Amino acid sequence: MVNTEIVIIGGGLAGLTAGIHLSQKGFAVVIIEKNEYPKHKVCGEYISNEVKPYLESLGIPIQNAHPTSITQLEFATLYGASLHQKLPLGGFGISRYTLDHMLYQKAIENGCNIIKNTVETCVFKEDQFFVTTQNQEIYTAKIVLGAFGKRANLDYYLHRTFIQKQSPWLAVKNHFQGNFPDDVVGLYHFKGGYCGVSKVENGRINICYIAHYKDFKLYKNLDDFEKGVLFKNQKLKHIFETSVPVFEKPLTISQISFEKKEPVSAHILMIGDTAGLIHPLCGNGMAMAIHSAKIAAEASIDFLQYKSSRATLELAYTETWNINFKARLRMGRSLSAILEQPILTLIVLQVAVLFPFIIKQIIKRTHGTPIS
Ligand SMILES: Cc1cc2nc3c(=O)[nH]c(=O)nc-3n(C[C@H](O)[C@H](O)[C@H](O)COP(=O)(O)OP(=O)(O)OC[C@H]3O[C@@H](n4cnc5c(N)ncnc54)[C@H](O)[C@@H]3O)c2cc1C
């Protein structure tokens, strides 16, 4: 049995950020992550600049990785209507392979104990957590942060309601060599989904799309699906046809759920996608994961320094989480519901292209301000 102050389940963006923050303040942190580092992940890899000041305060030298600086959005509908818009705050392009690995190295440097294993259970008893991994190792802690991503075995274990419902969304990602402007994030609509295109730190183009399972199952494989569905958008056809894939096989994930989740479950403070996944079309999930890690770390510090009771900790975290993210997630769910209806999607997107202030409003309502 290993005793510590904080156990973080999952070492993705949210888990590693919280671990870095808490260890920087001198707390003993164990992060349990089931995968090895570094690793490619399905993600659009465009990250809002709102996280930059906070990452700098944690001593994470993002600039050393030479991310692209992204200042413009290009948006194109299936039938060729398109718009270019300056992004109010902008962002940067960095692969998850590099970003997560940078955070991992910082967490190690700060003294976090990173364990490679899968957490199977987490029991709260007599004001203490007992976290058990696949190899039956038990970790006890005063605080547990749930950072296990959008969907995990632990969601079943904790009987979370969202996990009972099937989700129709799947996503595909690959890196490509080719030509695409460094400063643009492209969002290209196709029937039943959209595709995000932007450059990352090593000059590669990240192409990541989200599609509806019912459209996908009409085709034999990804290649046929892309040719039959994505290529109907001429911009996408051109990008795919003039680029060369880097990975032998694209990465895929399914069952991507945008359902409501609880920010606190079984006394665990949930952060990142474990508390709620915003539709990727909003392009802000990574910033929200990092921001929620900060909020949870700060609330945990108050608790560990005996400045608040557990009930106050849970209430304060839930309230702050709701203030920062609830409305953004609601907006993401509305977009997801629209995308499920092809004719409505087309109408909404055509109108949005004609009246760019609609896009501006969506960006405003789904993004935050710089996190200090
Ligand atoms: C298709 C798609 C495109 C996206 N594009 C963008 C984008 O362009 N910009 C943006 O800002 N956001 C984007 N997002 C959202 C973004 O990827 C997520 O919000 C972000 O990864 C959340 O980070 P996280 O730390 O919460 O989860 P993750 O990064 O998924 O980390 C969770 C970690 O927990 C680990 N884990 C799970 N279960 C266990 C267990 N039982 N024990 C131990 N470890 C466990 C996993 O291995 C994983 O490493 C996109 C999402 C999708 C689906």
Side-chain angles (χ1 to χ4, degrees), residues 9-15 32-35 41-48 96 100 117-120 147-154 171-172 194 208-210 253 256 271-274 277-278 280 283-287 289:
I9 309 174
L13 285 186
I32 308 174
E33 164 58 45
K34 66 177 182 180
N35 283 316
K41 280 188 172 174
V42 176
C43 182
E45 301 185 333
Y46 161 81
I47 176 161
S48 163
R96 291 298 298 273
D100 289 35
N117 218 313
T118 301
V119 172
E120 291 205 322
F148 38 89
K150 46 193 148 305
R151 195 180 185 86
N153 57 338
L154 282 169
V172 180
Y194 92 97
C208 181
Y209 63 84
I210 183 156
I253 49 170
I256 306 166
I271 57 179
D273 289 355
T274 318
L277 171 63
I278 191 159
N284 209 25
M286 289 196 271

Side-chain angles (χ1 to χ4, degrees), residues 299-317:
S300 303
I301 291 170
D302 277 352
F303 173 78
L304 292 166
Q305 291 177 339
Y306 304 105
K307 288 187 196 151
S308 66
S309 65
R310 189 171 296 280
T312 310
L313 161 75
E314 291 177 10
L315 196 67
Y317 178 66

Side-chain angles (χ1 to χ4, degrees), residues 195-214:
C195 180
V197 181
S198 55
K199 267 210 175 147
V200 290
E201 74 282 357
N202 51 10
R204 288 178 180 171
I205 308 169
N206 181 49
I207 301 187
C208 181
Y209 63 84
I210 183 156
H212 202 286
Y213 178 68
K214 79 170 164 14

Side-chain angles (χ1 to χ4, degrees), residues 112-239:
C112 293
N113 182 7
I114 305 189
I115 310 288
K116 192 201 164 287
N117 218 313
T118 301
V119 172
E120 291 205 322
T121 62
C122 178
V123 173
F124 182 73
K125 208 169 131 192
E126 291 165 11
D127 212 33
Q128 214 184 11
F129 289 94
F130 296 80
V131 178
T132 309
T133 57
Q134 209 166 41
N135 62 346
Q136 299 307 308
E137 199 75 66
I138 298 173
Y139 296 83
T140 63
K142 293 179 196 141
I143 293 271
V144 169
L145 303 183
F148 38 89
K150 46 193 148 305
R151 195 180 185 86
N153 57 338
L154 282 169
D155 292 311
Y156 290 103
Y157 171 77
L158 295 168
H159 303 291
R160 301 184 83 197
T161 37
F162 87 91
I163 201 83
Q164 319 298 336
K165 217 168 151 184
Q166 293 280 308
S167 165
W169 300 109
L170 59 90
V172 180
K173 166 235 174 94
N174 203 340
H175 280 177
F176 290 77
Q177 306 275 18
N179 287 320
F180 193 78
D182 276 11
D183 60 344
V184 172
V185 55
L187 297 179
Y188 306 110
H189 159 234
F190 57 84
K191 184 179 169 281
Y194 92 97
C195 180
V197 181
S198 55
K199 267 210 175 147
V200 290
E201 74 282 357
N202 51 10
R204 288 178 180 171
I205 308 169
N206 181 49
I207 301 187
C208 181
Y209 63 84
I210 183 156
H212 202 286
Y213 178 68
K214 79 170 164 14
D215 298 317
F216 179 72
K217 73 173 185 210
L218 300 174
Y219 294 83
K220 276 205 301 277
N221 53 45
L222 282 178
D223 220 34
D224 288 356
F225 174 70
E226 285 164 6
K227 288 191 177 118
V229 178
L230 274 74
F231 283 25
K232 297 253 164 67
N233 182 321
Q234 291 304 308
K235 291 238 179 205
L236 270 180
K237 181 172 190 284
H238 176 76
I239 294 168

